Amino acid sequence: MTHAYNELYLNDAKECLSDMIDYAVNDCGIDADWFASLFVTTGYAQKFETGNPSVISGMSGVELARAIMEKAYNNKDFPVPQYREGASPEYWAGWALAEYQWSKGRRFKDIFERIPLSHIISMYHVYHEMDISSFIRDMELRYSEVKIETKLKRIRECRGFTQSELAEASGVNLRSIQMYEQRINDIDKAQAHTIYKLSRALGCSVEDILEDPAY
C-alpha cells in the first residue's frame, strides 16, 4: 500500500506521538481515552496521519499536546514536562501506535473506535520487548474482530434520517442503503457517485461513511 508520508519521517512521527501521549497523561493528568478523543476532534489526528510536516516533524510531542489542549480548552497554562528515566507505557504506546498507523494507513479515529488508547497502553507489558511486527499483527487481529455499526448507519441515525428518508434525500436506492448497513455489500466498493450522493445528503465527508478509507 502507499503510505501517507515517507518512511524517512517515521522516526520523527513516532517520537512526536510518544512524547505527546506521555506528556498529556503523565504530566497533565488527562485520561488517555479522553485525550485520544481530543486528538481526533481537534483535527490534529487527521493532520498527523496524512503526514502534515508541520505536525509530524515540525512540532515536539509536548508542543503538539499543548496545541491540542489549547484548541480544546482555550488554555495556555501547562505544566512543565517532567523527566522520567526509561520509557513509560504511555511513551511506548505512542511509539508503537505511530508505527501501526503508518504501516496500515488507518485513521486514528477508526483505530480508537475499535481499540481504545488505554488498551494500547496496557499492551506495553506484553509487547514492549518484542519486535514491533508482533504488536502490529495483534492490533490488526483486534481491529478486524471488533464489529461495530457501519458508519453509514451511525451517521444516518445521528442526523435523524430513516433509511427511506435518506434514500429520498440522496437518490440512492433504499435496498442499496439497507445492504450497505447490513454489510451485505461493501460500501468501500460502491461507485463514487453513490458515495458522494450519500455523503452530501448526510452533510459529511466521503471518508466519514467509508469503512476503511485507506483502501
Side-chain angles (χ1 to χ4, degrees), residues 100-163:
Y100 172 72
Q101 188 280 321
W102 178 84
S103 173
K104 299 303 178 181
R106 302 196 185 283
R107 298 193 302 176
F108 286 106
K109 178 180 179 180
D110 297 331
I111 295 170
F112 293 143
E113 281 182 346
R114 292 163 174 80
I115 313 169
L117 178 57
S118 59
H119 183 82
I120 297 172
I121 292 170
S122 74
M123 295 168 72
Y124 166 83
H125 299 289
V126 175
Y127 292 99
H128 76 283
E129 293 183 347
M130 293 186 185
D131 185 86
I132 188 64
S133 61
S134 298
F135 169 79
I136 291 174
R137 281 195 302 270
D138 193 16
M139 285 285 287
E140 274 295 271
L141 180 61
R142 293 166 191 254
Y143 187 98
S144 63
E145 285 180 341
V146 177
K147 301 300 181 185
I148 59 177
E149 287 185 339
T150 62
K151 296 174 184 177
L152 176 61
K153 180 180 179 181
R154 189 163 63 250
I155 295 173
R156 174 180 63 76
E157 291 181 342
C158 183
R159 299 291 192 270
F161 281 106
T162 64
Q163 290 177 332

Side-chain angles (χ1 to χ4, degrees), residues 59-210:
M59 304 175 75
S60 71
V62 171
E63 289 171 337
L64 179 54
R66 287 174 170 173
I68 291 167
M69 290 184 285
E70 183 175 344
K71 186 171 183 179
Y73 299 122
N74 196 28
N75 175 30
K76 297 184 179 181
D77 184 19
F78 304 111
V80 175
Q82 300 298 307
Y83 171 77
R84 278 174 283 279
E85 187 173 347
S88 67
E90 290 76 17
Y91 183 94
W92 171 86
W95 180 88
L97 177 58
E99 177 101 19
Y100 172 72
Q101 188 280 321
W102 178 84
S103 173
K104 299 303 178 181
R106 302 196 185 283
R107 298 193 302 176
F108 286 106
K109 178 180 179 180
D110 297 331
I111 295 170
F112 293 143
E113 281 182 346
R114 292 163 174 80
I115 313 169
L117 178 57
S118 59
H119 183 82
I120 297 172
I121 292 170
S122 74
M123 295 168 72
Y124 166 83
H125 299 289
V126 175
Y127 292 99
H128 76 283
E129 293 183 347
M130 293 186 185
D131 185 86
I132 188 64
S133 61
S134 298
F135 169 79
I136 291 174
R137 281 195 302 270
D138 193 16
M139 285 285 287
E140 274 295 271
L141 180 61
R142 293 166 191 254
Y143 187 98
S144 63
E145 285 180 341
V146 177
K147 301 300 181 185
I148 59 177
E149 287 185 339
T150 62
K151 296 174 184 177
L152 176 61
K153 180 180 179 181
R154 189 163 63 250
I155 295 173
R156 174 180 63 76
E157 291 181 342
C158 183
R159 299 291 192 270
F161 281 106
T162 64
Q163 290 177 332
S164 297
E165 288 170 340
L166 177 57
E168 182 177 352
S170 66
V172 175
N173 181 273
L174 172 60
R175 183 57 182 156
S176 294
I177 292 173
Q178 291 171 338
M179 293 179 78
Y180 291 138
E181 291 195 358
Q182 295 167 18
R183 301 184 189 274
I184 296 171
N185 287 349
D186 185 353
I187 195 170
D188 292 354
K189 297 178 181 177
Q191 294 183 350
H193 74 275
T194 297
I195 301 171
Y196 172 74
K197 289 194 292 185
L198 288 169
S199 65
R200 185 173 181 180
L202 291 168
C204 64
S205 70
V206 166
E207 290 77 9
D208 284 336
I209 61 174
L210 294 176

